[in-house]
Each structure stands twice: as structure tokens, then as C-alpha cells.
Amino acid sequence: MKQIAAIFDMDGTVLDTLEDLKCALNYAFEEAGHSHDFKREEVALFFGSAVHVAIQRGLAREAGMQMEELLQIGTKGHETVDGIDEAEVNRIQAIYKPYYEKHCNDNTAPYPGIVDMIRDLRKQGIRCAVVSNKPDPAVQSLVADLFPDTFDFSLGEIAGLKRKPAPDMVEKCLDAIGTKAEDAVYIGDSEIDIQTAENSGLPCISVDWGFRPVSYLSSHGAEVIVSTAAELGGEIMRRREE
């Protein structure tokens, strides 16, 4: 039996944040003079690659881009979008971030069974951490409010550190919890998490209750997909015994 660590994504993986993300994005777009009636299913596709990309996708959607095209935005070679002013993206982001930081826990809650599952893992000696593209102040606030004494380490987007799917955030986490990549597993709900795990040299467990459908996860390389917190905990424990 080996010692392992479990590193979790936040949005769509341990926390259902979608309603608060939707409200904050619609607020920022309204304040900036844009369309502001995005629906939950749209916002779910906007997020995954941090706020800047989410706003780019929102502006592209406002301009008429089809849903299936949105996920290309923010990927390699698509860092900017024709017809979308980056200065406007930054202006909306400046409205969004402080609003979301204040309202990130209005409607947000852990997915069923997640808190108990993570606490059970820690009782078994498994280190548990969160690495998210969400701004770090919101990550720290949500961890403190909803996961007290639950995680060994938590990290959100901070200046000077490349966000996921680059490996930098995961590497910082591994260093902080004193674990090597070969002794860790990454858990997430999106293609970004699958890419993050691959870029970091970690296996990936995908969950089917988050922001991407199972068909999309499978088409983007998901090898293990779980449907409940209990199933996820069992999969993590199984890897400990390999």
C-alpha cells in the first residue's frame, strides 16, 4: 500500500458553483452595458479556463457564436478572438472579480457526499488538496467556509503562476504537500482537468456531475469517469493499493 495524494478541481468537481458564477457574470455584463441573460448551461461552458476566458466566451456568445464553437476559445492558437476587444474583456473582468469575491457563496454548496468522502480519505492518510483556475481569494474563502479543516492545501489563480492546463499550479501544490507526481491523482470535471493531469504527469479521474457531459469528457480522453462521491472515493483508494 503506497502513500498517495488526491488533488481536486473546485468548480464542478467538489463545489456546485454554477448559480453564483452565472449571477456574477450576468451582473458584470449588465454593468458593462452588454447582454446579461446567460443561462446556466451557457455559463457551464464558459468556465473551466479561468475568468478571462469565460468573459471572452460570453462576449463571443453575445456576438452570435454557436455553443459548440465556444470551447475553442482559450485553447492553443485561440487565445484571442476576432472581433472581441481585449480591453473590454479586462474591463468586464475588473467588475466581475470583486463582485464574485463578495458573492461566491450565495448559492454555492458541496456536491452530495463530497465533504465526508474527503474527510474519510484524510483519515486513511491520503493528502487532499484543491487546485482551481478560480481566483485565489474566492478559492480560499470557499475552502474556509465550506471545507473547514478538510484540505491540506488549496490554490487558485494568482499572478505570476500559469493557470491550468499548464502544470505550474499542480507542481506548486505537490511541493507544498510534499508529494511526487507519481504518487498523486488529479480529479476534475472538464477537458482542462484531463489536460492538466497529463501535463503534470498525473493520472486523472473525471466526474460526470460537473460542467461537461460524459460524451464530451470521453471524446477528450477521459479514461475513468465516476458518478458519485462514494465511487470517487473508492477509485482513489484503489489507486492507493496498486
Side-chain angles (χ1 to χ4, degrees):
M1 184 177 293
K2 65 180 181 179
Q3 187 69 30
I4 67 167
I7 304 175
F8 297 85
D9 171 52
M10 180 169 270
D11 294 340
T13 301
V14 297
L15 283 181
D16 183 356
T17 57
L18 192 51
E19 186 65 22
D20 286 332
L21 292 173
K22 184 197 78 171
C23 291
L25 197 69
N26 280 332
Y27 171 83
F29 269 64
E30 180 178 16
E31 289 293 300
H34 291 273
S35 297
H36 50 276
D37 56 351
F38 296 121
K39 298 178 175 59
R40 285 173 61 93
E41 59 268 25
E42 292 175 304
V43 175
L45 291 186
F46 294 169
F47 281 90
S49 297
V51 176
H52 190 90
V53 173
I55 293 169
Q56 288 178 315
R57 290 172 177 172
L59 289 172
R61 181 65 173 160
E62 179 187 34
M65 183 176 286
Q66 297 300 305
M67 295 280 278
E68 57 270 19
E69 299 177 73
L70 290 174
L71 289 172
Q72 286 296 315
I73 297 172
T75 62
K76 189 175 181 179
H78 300 274
E79 291 83 3
T80 59
V81 186
D82 289 344
I84 292 179
D85 182 4
E86 282 297 293
E88 183 65 0
V89 175
N90 291 331
R91 187 172 76 92
I92 297 171
Q93 182 171 276
I95 300 169
Y96 172 93
K97 282 191 171 182
Y99 181 88
Y100 182 70
E101 187 175 338
K102 291 180 180 178
H103 297 276
C104 64
N105 198 14
D106 289 356
N107 304 282
T108 287
Y111 286 104
I114 285 291
V115 174
D116 288 341
M117 182 270 295
I118 294 171
R119 288 178 175 167
D120 286 344
L121 291 177
R122 292 191 71 203
K123 288 177 182 177
Q124 299 296 321
I126 294 175
R127 291 182 177 273
C128 296
V130 164
V131 172
S132 171
N133 276 340
K134 181 188 291 296
D136 190 64
V139 169
Q140 302 307 329
S141 174
L142 289 168
V143 167
D145 289 345
L146 300 175
F147 296 96
D149 302 317
T150 304
F151 288 109
D152 295 286
F153 180 77
S154 55
L155 177 66
E157 184 185 26
I158 56 176
L161 195 65
K162 290 182 180 178
R163 66 174 184 262
K164 301 183 301 179
D168 303 51
M169 298 177 77
V170 170
E171 290 170 354
K172 183 176 178 66
C173 174
L174 291 171
D175 184 62
I177 63 177
T179 303
K180 296 179 181 178
E182 57 263 32
D183 296 324
V185 60
Y186 195 86
I187 301 101
D189 70 305
S190 76
E191 75 286 355
I192 298 299
D193 300 309
I194 296 168
Q195 294 164 16
T196 298
E198 181 178 359
N199 292 340
S200 304
L202 276 64
C204 185
I205 302 172
S206 298
V207 304
D208 70 0
W209 55 73
F211 290 6
R212 303 289 188 269
V214 169
S215 58
Y216 188 84
L217 293 172
S218 297
S219 69
H220 283 76
E223 297 180 352
V224 178
I225 303 175
V226 298
S227 299
T228 66
E231 189 179 351
L232 174 57
E235 181 64 26
I236 293 169
M237 288 299 296
R238 184 187 68 76
R239 291 168 185 271
R240 185 187 187 190
E241 296 167 0
E242 288 180 344

